[in-house]
Amino acid sequence: MSETATSVLAMGLRNAHAMESQALELLERQASRLEEYPEVQAQIQHHLAQTERQLERLERCLDALGEDLSPVKDAALAALGSMMSLSNAMAEDEILKNTFANYSFEHYEIAAYKSLLTLCEIATQRSIVPLLQQSLDEEEAMAKWLKDNVSRVTKDYVTKRERKAAA
Ligand SMILES: [Fe+2]
């Protein structure tokens, strides 16, 4: 049981690394296009820095298990993240679409980290728990920020459109 759980955990860690590579790509694309929304931009940049540390933490977890990464899968998912942002960039309401996409992405990440923490328990790999817990806390904080800011971003968007229409 423990050996199976450890191999499921290793697979989960590799998947999470690919997921965070995709997150990094999504956030990088958005960060450069948010000059009209400085508060959102600051938060995206803050989470971008956290995402870089989350990737490092996952590498440390894999290392602790004696596992290596899957660069091919990472690259494929990062490209997908890039495409997702690109298609939103073509929309007039890019800021709204990105906000919804980020909110859903954060919840995907939260579920992934919760699953990894459960696997640590089953596989009795306690040494990596604090690393994963820290990342989970960051994802939950980001999800909360997005939830708390959907209304404000929507109002800002309408105000800016009204201003443009009046100009
Ligand atoms: Fe995240």
Side-chain angles (χ1 to χ4, degrees):
M1 162 117 171
S2 179
E3 205 183 308
T4 307
T6 302
S7 71
V8 176
L9 172 61
M11 182 189 66
L13 289 168
R14 282 194 295 270
N15 287 338
H17 195 276
M19 168 189 81
E20 293 294 3
S21 300
Q22 188 181 0
L24 199 66
E25 197 69 36
L26 275 169
L27 296 170
E28 273 171 353
R29 285 216 166 261
Q30 291 176 29
S32 61
R33 302 176 49 84
L34 281 165
E35 51 295 321
E36 279 188 87
Y37 297 86
E39 281 171 44
V40 181
Q41 186 170 46
Q43 184 64 24
I44 292 285
Q45 263 154 2
H46 170 66
H47 197 57
L48 187 59
Q50 285 181 325
T51 302
E52 281 166 358
R53 290 195 293 274
Q54 291 168 357
L55 276 164
E56 285 166 17
R57 276 182 215 128
L58 288 164
E59 284 156 23
R60 280 162 64 193
C61 290
L62 282 160
D63 213 47
L65 264 63
E67 294 283 330
D68 52 11
L69 286 164
S70 164
V72 178
K73 193 174 181 188
D74 260 29
L77 270 173
L80 191 72
S82 175
M83 262 160 52
M84 225 158 101
S85 290
L86 262 183
S87 78
N88 285 350
M90 288 187 285
E92 160 77 47
D93 58 347
E94 174 184 11
I95 182 72
L96 299 182
K97 287 197 168 78
N98 280 338
T99 301
F100 309 158
N102 292 344
Y103 188 66
S104 102
F105 204 96
E106 289 310 318
H107 284 84
Y108 185 98
E109 292 181 312
I110 288 167
Y113 282 111
K114 282 189 173 167
S115 171
L116 287 172
L117 284 165
T118 303
L119 288 165
C120 284
E121 216 175 280
I122 304 168
T124 58
Q125 294 284 351
R126 295 201 179 88
S127 69
I128 63 173
V129 166
L131 291 170
L132 297 170
Q133 185 63 53
Q134 193 178 349
S135 296
L136 174 60
D137 292 347
E138 291 169 358
E139 305 301 15
E140 282 179 333
M142 182 61 175
K144 185 181 183 307
W145 188 90
L146 289 162
K147 183 183 172 194
D148 292 346
N149 282 272
V150 171
S151 284
R152 195 170 54 78
V153 169
T154 303
K155 286 174 193 158
D156 274 10
Y157 171 68
V158 172
T159 306
K160 284 185 207 313
R161 286 213 54 172
E162 279 170 352
R163 249 184 242 142
K164 273 180 201 160

